[in-house]
Amino acid sequence: MKRYKKRMFAAVGMMLAGVVLLFAVDYQVRSYANPYIMSAGEVPEADAIMVLGAFVYPNGNVSTMLRDRLETAIDISREGKSAKIIVSGDHGRTDYDEVNTMKQYLMKQQFRDDDVFMDHAGFNTYQSMYRARDIFKVHKLIIVTQQYHLSRAVYLARKMGLEAYGVAADKQDYGNVMIKYKAREMLARSKDFINVNVTKPQPKFLGEAIPVTTSGTLTNDK
């Protein structure tokens, strides 16, 4: 019985330590990144604006969250902060393509083909920031996503040596789904804290550099 109680106390102690660590990392990431999160008018000029991908429909329409990200990037660009936009998302299958969908959305808003770069292998936030630095040769970056996700993105970019700023794309209330997203994001912050500070894995794909000083047409695959 005593041995059982000791094991129970040890298990509870480990669980509590894990929870404390989770909250400590969460606080560290947010407190580090939040001073660099600004409005479209406040953010400084940069080499490029990066729009992080989200769900797109088979008919070519963007989801509500992604539309708000794209519209926020348009606002920033029209403020004169950068003419170059990197759309980074999942294009790992022939039947699912976030980046061409995002580029087409921007092209309909009169953006030039030359100015919109597609990151076809931005499978997660860590890989998107890594590729922004190593493939697109960005030094100063404005990141666009919703507020719940933005701290992690800015944290990762800055830890990778980029002068990164964030602009939140929350143009509306997204409803109860945000409860799930925020809980999942807390775990993702801990995972990426380890990625960027300890393990430092390479992205699934790298490839030849395509600096944002060149042409976005070099990223076209259609």
Side-chain angles (χ1 to χ4, degrees):
M1 191 66 178
K2 288 182 179 180
R3 184 178 298 174
Y4 174 77
K5 285 183 177 180
K6 285 181 180 180
R7 288 177 178 172
M8 282 293 295
F9 281 130
V12 170
M14 289 176 66
M15 287 176 62
L16 288 174
V19 170
V20 169
L21 185 60
L22 186 70
F23 277 93
V25 168
D26 184 75
Y27 176 78
Q28 171 67 20
V29 170
R30 289 186 293 106
S31 61
Y32 182 94
N34 285 353
Y36 306 105
I37 295 174
M38 305 173 180
S39 69
E42 294 170 334
V43 74
E45 293 182 17
D47 301 330
I49 301 161
M50 174 172 273
V51 183
L52 295 175
F55 183 71
V56 298
Y57 295 98
N59 64 4
N61 290 333
V62 298
S63 58
T64 302
M65 277 191 168
L66 185 52
R67 183 178 67 245
D68 287 351
R69 295 179 191 185
L70 290 163
E71 288 294 332
T72 300
I74 292 167
D75 293 344
I76 297 166
S77 184
R78 288 178 177 165
E79 287 276 352
K81 307 302 177 155
S82 182
K84 304 289 186 177
I85 298 183
I86 303 168
V87 290
S88 181
D90 186 351
H91 187 193
R93 311 191 312 264
T94 56
D95 62 341
Y96 185 73
D97 184 353
E98 292 178 357
V99 292
N100 274 289
T101 305
M102 288 192 279
K103 180 159 186 173
Q104 288 305 310
Y105 187 100
L106 293 170
M107 297 278 285
K108 289 175 184 176
Q109 299 298 320
Q110 310 307 313
F111 280 82
R112 299 191 318 138
D113 199 5
D114 276 344
D115 290 336
V116 183
F117 292 73
M118 291 185 288
D119 175 14
H120 297 270
F123 299 123
N124 57 46
T125 310
Y126 176 87
Q127 294 186 58
S128 292
M129 298 309 135
Y130 200 120
R131 288 172 57 81
R133 182 192 67 188
D134 287 25
I135 299 298
F136 297 104
K137 301 299 180 181
V138 172
H139 300 287
K140 193 172 183 181
L141 182 67
I142 300 168
I143 304 164
V144 178
T145 183
Q146 273 69 32
Q147 180 72 44
Y148 81 95
H149 180 206
L150 198 52
S151 295
R152 175 163 60 100
V154 172
Y155 178 85
L156 285 170
R158 284 194 161 260
K159 285 292 182 177
M160 291 182 192
L162 298 175
E163 184 183 342
Y165 300 87
V167 177
D170 300 85
K171 290 183 174 287
Q172 59 194 287
D173 183 350
Y174 302 106
N176 291 334
V177 69
M178 294 307 298
I179 297 171
K180 179 180 73 173
Y181 285 176
K182 288 177 180 179
R184 190 171 63 188
E185 181 63 19
M186 196 170 182
L187 295 172
R189 288 185 191 129
S190 290
K191 177 184 176 183
D192 275 344
F193 181 89
I194 295 169
N195 280 339
V196 80
N197 292 301
V198 182
T199 57
K200 302 182 180 180
Q202 282 197 349
K204 186 175 181 180
F205 299 109
L206 276 173
E208 294 183 9
I210 308 173
V212 290
T213 53
T214 60
S215 170
T217 60
L218 297 173
T219 65
N220 291 352
D221 64 341
K222 292 184 179 180

